[in-house]
């Protein structure tokens, strides 16, 4: 056990990287389309496309999305390292959820905020950037933390496209050493601190915001 | 005093519902105009349409005898609007609530914005609260901050949509005092309110609205002591009963 442990650390780092890069990208994609979704009509072409996209993501298993990225990207001439294929697949998946999280948070902001901004002469873009989105991000935190922990665990599925992340590395070691149970436990033990750490950071951010302004504004 | 605002044949609809019917109004510079009426009478809709928050179906709004659409009205900061629910920005401090629109809309530098903010905050007597967030302030203080935020944009006319209706009774006076100060400083104001004593004291003209129409338009003295219509009499009986 002790001797295989160091061999799992580089793959652990891959897991962290692939999850957080995807989360970061998905967060901003989500915020962008979520904003457009909540301020423009349902029939706006961008909204129709993003609704369709969310629908695809939410209604198909992540393993199919990962295989699709792996098999289809080269077909359209995009040849990437398997790590970046993993990032694209996870971002594709997570952005679907993030759009929904952003949309829900932005629509929950009181319409009085838009009206006050309007009467002060602020345009819609200024209002979104300085008034609505900062408040919405605060409300997005709990759900985004949830999504982060989901994403970290879902990154294990990237083993199917042979990305050497934590789970794939453990499978390889199981094949060599036949210590199935031990490696299973060790993997689980290594996922735990990342997920816990993420929710700790989310709690910390939320507390920090909580002190700064109103309590009743938080969803939680 | 020159005419600053006239409204001609203003009609506002909410889908099929005719909320404001053929309203004509005229207001001179420095005048205080009070709108009262039962709920659902269209008084809020009228003031919101003037502010540019509701799109009128027909009618004209003239500022200094020049017709303007909602866009121009909003972009030129003709009106300062004060809402019943304050609508301060909860994620910003009191000071930032005032400086942000100055910097983003009027493109004024940060240091100059802070100077303007200090000026308006001391006018409404909450300069000592400037670094707090709105949720840490009482309702009356929040409403005074909202007034300061509108004043900072240097509007021609201040609009008040039931500014004291969401306040505890003890806090109503501090807001009314600020409004009285503004009036004596010569600000033109349109006020929707249920505070009849205040209306009587401050107004140059009072109108009563019901069902989207102006029932009576009168001087405060005549309005309270010698109303022209039965509807005004019964309204006053209702609101002055206690």
């Amino acid at each position: 056990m002790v001797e295989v442990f160091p061999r799992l650390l580089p793959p652990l780092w891959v897991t962290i990287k692939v999850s957080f890069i995807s989360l970061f990208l998905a967060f901003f994609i989500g915020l962008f389309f979520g904003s457009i979704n909540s301020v423009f009509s349902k029939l706006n072409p961008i909204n129709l496309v993003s609704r369709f996209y969310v629908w695809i993501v939410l209604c198909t298993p992540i393993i199919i999305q990962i295989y699709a990225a792996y098999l289809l990207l080269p077909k359209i001439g995009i040849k990437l390292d398997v790590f970046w294929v993993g990032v694209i697949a996870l971002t594709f998946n997570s952005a679907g959820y993030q759009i929904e999280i952003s949309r829900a948070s932005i629509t929950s902001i009181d319409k009085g905020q838009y009206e006050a901004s309007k009467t002060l002469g602020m345009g819609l873009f200024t209002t979104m950037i300085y008034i609505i989105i900062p408040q919405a991000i605060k409300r997005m935190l709990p759900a985004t933390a949830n999504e982060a922990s989901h994403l970290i665990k879902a990154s294990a599925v990237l083993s199917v496209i042979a990305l050497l992340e934590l789970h794939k590395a453990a499978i390889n070691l199981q094949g060599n050493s036949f210590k199935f149970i031990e490696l299973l436990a060790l993997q689980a033990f290594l996922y735990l601190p990342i997920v816990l750490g993420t929710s700790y950071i989310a709690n910390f951010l939320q507390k920090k915001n909580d002190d700064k302004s109103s309590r009743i504004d938080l969803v939680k | 005093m020159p005419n600053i605002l006239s409204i001609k044949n203003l009609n506002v609809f909410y889908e099929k519902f005719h909320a404001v019917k053929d309203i004509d109004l005229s207001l001179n510079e420095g005048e205080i105009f009070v709108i009262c009426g039962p709920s659902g009478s269209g008084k809020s809709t009228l003031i919101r349409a003037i502010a540019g928050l509701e799109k009128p179906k027909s009618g004209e709004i003239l500022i200094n005898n020049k017709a303007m659409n909602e866009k121009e009205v909003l972009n030129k900061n003709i009106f300062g609007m004060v809402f019943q629910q304050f609508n301060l920005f909860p994620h910003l401090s009191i000071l930032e609530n005032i400086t942000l629109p100055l910097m983003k809309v009027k493109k004024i530098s940060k240091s100059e914005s802070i100077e303007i903010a200090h000026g308006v905050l001391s006018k409404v007597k909450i300069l000592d609260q400037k670094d707090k967030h709105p949720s840490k302030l009482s309702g009356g203080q929040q409403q005074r901050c909202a007034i300061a935020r509108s004043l900072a944009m240097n509007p021609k006319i201040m609009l008040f949509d039931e500014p004291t209706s969401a306040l505890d009774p003890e806090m109503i006076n501090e807001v009314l005092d600020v409004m009285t100060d503004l009036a004596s400083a010569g600000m033109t104001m349109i006020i929707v309110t249920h505070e009849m004593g205040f209306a009587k004291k401050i107004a140059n003209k009072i109108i009563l609205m019901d069902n989207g129409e102006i029932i009576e338009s009168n001087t405060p003295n005549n309005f309270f002591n010698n109303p022209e219509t039965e509807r005004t009499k019964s309204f006053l009986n209702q609101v002055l009963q206690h």
Side-chain angles (χ1 to χ4, degrees), chain B residues 1-140:
Chain B
M1 278 292 180
N3 181 286
I4 190 165
L5 170 75
S6 22
I7 291 170
K8 289 178 179 158
N9 300 326
L10 192 77
N11 282 290
V12 184
F13 284 78
Y14 289 123
E15 311 212 332
K16 289 258 163 66
F17 180 68
H18 201 169
V20 165
K21 296 173 189 159
D22 264 329
I23 297 284
D24 288 302
L25 278 182
S26 165
L27 195 62
N28 293 334
E29 220 173 295
E31 269 188 331
I32 315 294
F33 196 94
V34 170
I35 305 170
C36 54
S39 30
S41 60
K43 55 192 194 307
S44 274
T45 310
L46 174 60
I47 202 169
R48 286 168 57 85
I50 296 173
L53 289 174
E54 305 290 346
K55 202 175 159 54
K57 183 141 193 204
S58 64
E60 265 191 326
I61 295 179
L62 294 105
I63 315 289
N64 294 332
N65 300 316
K66 224 182 92 206
M68 278 194 183
N69 61 23
E70 313 92 77
K71 263 236 163 81
E72 288 175 285
V73 161
L74 291 168
N75 290 341
K76 293 191 175 164
N77 288 105
I78 304 288
F79 299 108
M81 178 84 166
V82 175
F83 300 88
Q84 185 179 352
Q85 298 297 341
F86 329 137
N87 291 342
L88 292 174
F89 306 132
H91 61 301
L92 300 175
S93 71
I94 295 302
L95 188 75
E96 290 164 335
N97 260 278
I98 296 165
T99 55
L100 182 86
L102 285 173
M103 293 193 296
K104 298 301 164 202
V105 178
K106 298 221 152 176
K107 313 284 180 205
I108 294 175
S109 73
K110 190 170 180 186
S111 56
E112 210 178 319
S113 303
I114 292 176
E115 221 168 279
I116 296 172
H118 281 189
V120 288
L121 283 173
S122 45
K123 242 186 221 173
V124 301
K125 302 179 191 77
I126 46 165
L127 186 58
D128 52 330
Q129 311 285 336
K130 69 180 166 68
D131 296 318
K132 292 186 182 163
H133 277 75
S135 60
K136 298 281 186 285
L137 267 57
S138 72

Side-chain angles (χ1 to χ4, degrees), chain A residues 52-66:
Chain A
F52 179 70
Y53 168 70
V54 169
W55 179 71
I56 296 273
V57 170
L58 266 54
C59 300
T60 56
I62 189 164
I63 193 165
I64 291 178
Q65 296 165 14
I66 291 169

Side-chain angles (χ1 to χ4, degrees), chain A residues 144-157:
Chain A
T144 302
N146 240 346
E147 173 55 22
S149 85
H150 160 80
L151 195 65
I152 293 161
K153 290 172 279 181
S155 73
V157 188

Side-chain angles (χ1 to χ4, degrees), chain B residues 163-175:
Chain B
T164 57
S165 299
L167 296 176
D168 286 343
E170 298 154 51
M171 290 167 189
I172 290 176
N173 279 333
E174 60 187 60
V175 172

Side-chain angles (χ1 to χ4, degrees), chain A residues 57-127:
Chain A
V57 170
L58 266 54
C59 300
T60 56
I62 189 164
I63 193 165
I64 291 178
Q65 296 165 14
I66 291 169
Y67 273 127
Y70 185 69
L71 298 171
L72 295 179
L73 284 176
K75 288 253 190 282
I76 55 167
I78 303 172
K79 293 200 173 74
L80 290 169
D81 183 76
V82 73
F83 176 82
W84 292 106
V85 175
V87 167
I88 289 173
L90 288 193
T91 305
F92 178 87
N93 176 270
S94 187
Y97 292 91
Q98 286 292 347
I99 289 174
E100 288 300 273
I101 293 171
S102 313
R103 194 173 59 89
S105 302
I106 292 169
T107 18
S108 78
I109 304 287
D110 183 52
K111 76 173 179 16
Q113 296 285 308
Y114 293 91
E115 291 183 346
S117 308
K118 204 172 172 185
T119 58
L120 290 165
M122 290 196 239
L124 185 59
F125 183 75
T126 315
T127 304

